[in-house]
Amino acid sequence: MSDSLPLVSIITPSYNQARYLEATIQSVLSQDYPNIEYILIDGGSTDGSLEIIQKYAGKLAYWVSERDQGQTDAINKGFNRARGEILAWLNSDDTYLPGAVREAVEFLQANPTAGLVYGEANLIDETGQVIGSFPSRQTDYQRLLTGYVHIPQQTMFFRAELWKQVGPLDPSFFFAMDYDLWVRIARVAPLHYYPRLWANFRLHDSAKTIADDARC
């Protein structure tokens, strides 16, 4: 039965996030959608991440731990190997909520003109406690150009044909490589906000949007 469902390729880029990595991996592997290709690209972590990855290696479609050029490079490397019809990436400190992948696939199947779907996300702290919610809203190409983003990256799922058309991520971006991708996708296909809670966005001191706040 799973062979008749679209393959979903999920990439996790990781570097020295051992404290959170196992929860990320488990949140993908525990999804109730049966046709997931999970790829983990680690940048040569030295904090115990490798041992965590090896613990789950038999359930990963592919993994590697080697020095790379950072998060954007890791995501591009993962998508270069992806075979799925639907793509997503989940950073190594964030987590999916139960049913997220299945519901996203169901939405894309029911809405064949949709290029990308995204939902709602909790904001969580270092311990996993919910401390707020992401302000998800419907946006589009014109609104994205004015800075009206409102897309929690952790919840987005998009069609692989669009990645082939507008990808890869721009490696010159340290931040906002996802925003740049959304603009490119929105130029050629509709984006859809689906008000379902799909992920947890973790805020912590070593997250780059906080650690490099001024640069962000």
Side-chain angles (χ1 to χ4, degrees), residues 92-133:
S92 54
D93 48 4
D94 299 326
T95 56
Y96 283 135
L97 291 170
V101 176
R102 173 179 48 79
E103 290 183 2
V105 172
E106 288 172 353
F107 181 92
L108 290 171
Q109 287 185 305
N111 298 272
T113 63
L116 179 150
V117 64
Y118 59 96
E120 297 180 351
N122 292 321
L123 304 178
I124 63 172
D125 64 14
E126 294 182 355
T127 67
Q129 294 299 307
V130 176
I131 57 174
S133 60

Side-chain angles (χ1 to χ4, degrees), residues 77-160:
K77 285 169 62 175
F79 283 144
N80 283 342
R81 286 188 166 269
R83 300 178 296 109
E85 297 176 48
I86 298 169
L87 305 179
W89 83 78
L90 185 69
N91 293 324
S92 54
D93 48 4
D94 299 326
T95 56
Y96 283 135
L97 291 170
V101 176
R102 173 179 48 79
E103 290 183 2
V105 172
E106 288 172 353
F107 181 92
L108 290 171
Q109 287 185 305
N111 298 272
T113 63
L116 179 150
V117 64
Y118 59 96
E120 297 180 351
N122 292 321
L123 304 178
I124 63 172
D125 64 14
E126 294 182 355
T127 67
Q129 294 299 307
V130 176
I131 57 174
S133 60
F134 190 97
S136 300
R137 301 287 188 276
Q138 178 63 53
T139 191
D140 56 30
Y141 178 64
Q142 292 300 328
R143 283 185 279 189
L144 283 168
L145 293 180
T146 68
Y148 195 87
V149 188
H150 295 288
I151 301 173
Q153 175 274 315
Q154 300 79 5
T155 71
M156 72 166 184
F157 296 82
F158 60 99
R159 300 187 191 278

Side-chain angles (χ1 to χ4, degrees), residues 23-95:
T24 299
I25 293 173
Q26 289 177 345
S27 79
V28 176
L29 297 180
S30 64
Q31 290 292 306
D32 62 0
Y33 185 77
N35 204 13
I36 293 176
E37 174 187 61
Y38 191 24
I39 296 172
L40 201 151
I41 308 295
D42 182 77
S45 294
T46 58
D47 67 340
S49 293
L50 184 57
E51 289 76 11
I52 294 171
I53 296 167
Q54 290 172 331
K55 177 179 176 181
Y56 294 94
K59 298 181 179 180
L60 303 176
Y62 174 81
W63 70 272
V64 68
S65 181
E66 62 185 15
R67 188 172 181 178
D68 55 35
Q69 301 302 310
Q71 181 188 16
T72 305
D73 182 40
I75 295 167
N76 283 337
K77 285 169 62 175
F79 283 144
N80 283 342
R81 286 188 166 269
R83 300 178 296 109
E85 297 176 48
I86 298 169
L87 305 179
W89 83 78
L90 185 69
N91 293 324
S92 54
D93 48 4
D94 299 326
T95 56

